[in-house]
Amino acid sequence: MSYSLYFHIPFCTHRCAYCDFNTYAGQEDSIPAYVDALCKEIEFVGQSSHAERSGSTVEAHTLFFGGGTPSLLSPKRFEKILRTIRDHFDLIEDVEITVEANPGTVSFDDLKTLHSLGINRISFGVQSANPEELRMLERIHDFFDVIDAVEWARKAGFDNLNLDLIYGLPEQTLTSWRATVQRILDLHPEHISAYALTLEHGTPFGRWSARGLLPIPDPDLAADMYEWASEAFDAAGYGQYEISNWARVKDESRKLKDKSAAGSSSFIFYPSSFECRHNLQYWRGLPYLGFGAGAHGYANNYRYSNTLRIKTYIERMNEYRKSNIEFPLSPATVNQHHQSVGDDMSEYMMTGLRLTREGIAAPAFRRRFGRELSEVYSREINDLIQLGLLEWHEEACEGYESSQALRLTRRGRLLGNQVFIRFVE
Ligand code: SF4
């Protein structure tokens, strides 16, 4: 089984008004100590995985640096982290390595160095092309920074770029959203993510909304924005593969390259488009290890998460003395949950149904749980089919030439939460 590895970089130069991620502004002085602690955690988990697996090294097929703003780290620090990862994990030849970047924090020289280090995918947080909307979100970049960042990334050699968008913003109109979508398509990224704004408790947006001060679009308008964008992405050659994610098809030479990489020691299903292989690992319920403050992981029947605060994370990684902590946990772990089969099934349904094209294949469910999908969830599935939110379809997926798979209908994509809640344990 090939793993995915996630590295959390919890630093931002400014906190955006809608953000509830585990990230901190004004703590950049801690970056050197944080990177040292991160490398210690990578080393610790790499060594404990050896012990657990009788000396064999964990194979990884994706690495993802998320945040926060990973692009605040210098290329030298990335080099150090990547060297530590390669020393303790077995990376497949065609490993996908993504770095999230704020378009206001990158330079051509840094992107060039990152590419030379083996990083092969950049995910830019664009959010909007409209200056007023970017100001309201308190983003530090403008759309000219996005144009520069994409141009520099191309020149630096990146042929796999994601651009992140948010719709349903305060005072956003269908016209301004359409303009954003069009400007994004003009940049020809390989991958686009478009998420609806969520108002999180404890953020300025959450507080202003509770006091009636935030004129967000009503749900019908937000649904229109989603549907309009889906059609525009589709018309521009992007295939939707997840509720909020679209990817371009790869050319033939690229597909062949991926096929040869699949000759690694374990079975990996390679997409024939620029789908994000790292995120597919989450949605398919496959194992991943999380490193860094607030990072989450799922492996060896554990779901776990690390301490949130940067200072505590550094202290924990510097001060541990005994090492009776078992793989995949580390001295930074503060929450761990041993998964029951019921937990696993429920999560498998909720994440797998996000995959709008492949859905959940009945044979894959049987292989994983030894039971029939249509029997375990017969009542829920029948109810949701009656409501027009789920459908069975025939699809070649994950090693099966053709199989019955359960997936969301077009209507179900708009009402995903009503579907997922039916599978909560
Ligand atoms: S840049 Fe991203 S992670 Fe940082 S505060 Fe803004 S939304 Fe949050």
Side-chain angles (χ1 to χ4, degrees):
M1 176 67 67
S2 203
Y3 281 61
S4 288
L5 312 185
Y6 174 81
F7 306 90
H8 193 67
I9 311 297
F11 300 94
C12 287
T13 52
H14 172 79
R15 183 125 195 147
C16 304
Y18 59 98
C19 177
D20 81 330
F21 296 147
N22 184 46
T23 188
Y24 305 86
Q27 295 202 26
E28 289 89 323
D29 287 354
S30 303
I31 288 178
Y34 184 80
V35 169
D36 287 347
L38 191 62
C39 289
K40 280 185 188 155
E41 191 183 18
I42 295 164
E43 195 180 320
F44 182 95
V45 176
Q47 285 172 354
S48 66
S49 74
H50 265 239
E52 158 86 18
R53 299 157 57 95
S54 318
S56 81
T57 308
V58 165
E59 181 190 89
H61 71 118
T62 71
L63 311 181
F64 195 105
F65 292 86
T69 308
S71 49
L72 286 178
L73 298 194
S74 66
K76 276 236 157 310
R77 300 209 194 285
F78 273 109
E79 188 178 6
K80 176 176 171 153
I81 299 168
L82 287 167
R83 201 181 325 118
T84 312
I85 297 168
R86 289 183 200 280
D87 284 349
H88 293 92
F89 292 91
D90 190 5
L91 306 189
I92 68 161
E93 192 192 326
D94 194 34
V95 59
E96 175 190 273
I97 309 181
T98 303
V99 169
E100 285 184 340
N102 186 315
T105 63
V106 293
S107 69
F108 170 66
D109 287 344
D110 283 359
L111 286 166
K112 207 168 152 205
T113 315
L114 293 182
H115 189 259
S116 72
L117 293 174
I119 291 162
N120 49 27
R121 186 171 185 272
I122 300 279
S123 174
F124 286 117
V126 176
Q127 319 316 0
S128 168
N130 181 295
E132 285 306 316
E133 290 167 6
L134 286 173
R135 249 195 302 278
M136 189 171 335
L137 292 171
E138 298 184 12
R139 300 289 302 188
I140 60 165
H141 70 272
D142 59 27
F143 197 67
F144 295 109
D145 293 326
V146 175
I147 296 169
D148 285 344
V150 168
E151 193 183 317
W152 293 334
R154 293 301 189 200
K155 263 200 212 149
F158 287 97
D159 61 0
N160 192 354
L161 297 182
N162 170 55
L163 302 183
D164 268 343
L165 296 177
I166 305 180
Y167 63 93
L169 300 175
E171 295 189 31
Q172 191 173 39
T173 61
L174 200 48
T175 308
S176 76
W177 171 239
R178 282 180 179 159
T180 286
V181 168
Q182 194 48 57
R183 297 188 82 177
I184 291 304
L185 291 174
D186 290 345
L187 293 173
H188 305 293
E190 281 68 32
H191 189 283
I192 301 171
S193 300
Y195 287 91
L197 175 72
T198 48
L199 297 168
E200 304 291 354
H201 186 71
T203 63
F205 266 28
R207 285 195 294 278
W208 299 334
S209 162
R211 290 162 54 199
L213 300 174
L214 210 62
I216 50 161
D218 66 44
D220 286 346
L221 178 53
D224 286 349
M225 289 178 180
Y226 177 76
E227 293 213 301
W228 189 87
S230 301
E231 282 165 22
F233 296 150
D234 186 55
Y238 292 83
Q240 183 171 16
Y241 68 104
E242 197 267 349
I243 291 181
S244 305
N245 286 277
W246 289 260
R248 270 198 359 227
V249 172
K250 286 178 185 170
D251 63 29
E252 287 307 310
S253 57
R254 179 83 191 214
K255 274 192 230 171
L256 285 174
K257 195 172 158 206
D258 275 1
K259 257 192 181 160
S260 63
S264 66
S265 61
S266 56
F267 172 76
I268 305 167
F269 177 57
Y270 278 89
S272 56
S273 75
F274 288 94
E275 293 167 14
C276 175
R277 281 163 32 191
H278 185 86
N279 287 339
L280 280 171
Q281 187 91 347
Y282 300 152
W283 296 318
R284 287 177 177 154
L286 297 171
Y288 57 93
L289 305 176
F291 301 88
H296 289 241
Y298 169 62
N300 248 17
N301 293 324
Y302 278 111
R303 280 215 181 264
Y304 63 94
S305 62
N306 283 350
T307 183
L308 294 171
R309 300 187 73 80
I310 292 170
K311 188 166 172 279
T312 319
Y313 175 76
I314 295 171
E315 282 168 5
R316 279 180 165 254
M317 288 317 306
N318 284 341
E319 290 169 9
Y320 76 89
R321 292 285 168 264
K322 56 183 177 39
S323 63
N324 58 348
I325 301 167
E326 287 180 7
F327 175 76
L329 311 180
S330 87
T333 309
V334 287
N335 294 305
Q336 61 194 71
H337 173 68
H338 205 262
Q339 295 277 102
S340 66
V341 176
D343 294 333
D344 255 351
M345 267 189 202
S346 159
E347 288 168 11
Y348 189 78
M349 296 302 291
M350 288 192 286
T351 56
L353 284 174
R354 295 192 64 89
L355 294 168
T356 48
R357 198 188 53 234
E358 70 184 54
I360 295 177
F365 186 95
R366 190 184 314 123
R367 184 177 61 186
R368 176 144 175 172
F369 298 108
R371 298 177 63 188
E372 292 299 327
L373 171 60
S374 55
E375 285 171 21
V376 177
Y377 291 112
S378 71
R379 189 159 44 87
E380 290 83 355
I381 292 171
N382 287 336
D383 288 354
L384 291 163
I385 288 176
Q386 290 287 318
L387 291 167
L389 301 177
L390 283 184
E391 64 186 8
W392 287 106
H393 73 118
E394 199 78 23
E395 175 91 15
C397 58
E398 248 194 292
Y400 300 99
E401 270 191 11
S402 176
S403 65
Q404 278 280 304
L406 190 67
R407 70 178 180 191
L408 294 172
T409 58
R410 280 191 82 79
R411 193 169 119 79
R413 292 176 199 178
L414 289 167
L415 301 169
N417 288 342
Q418 287 185 32
V419 175
F420 307 143
I421 202 153
R422 293 296 306 270
F423 297 99
V424 174
E425 254 294 278

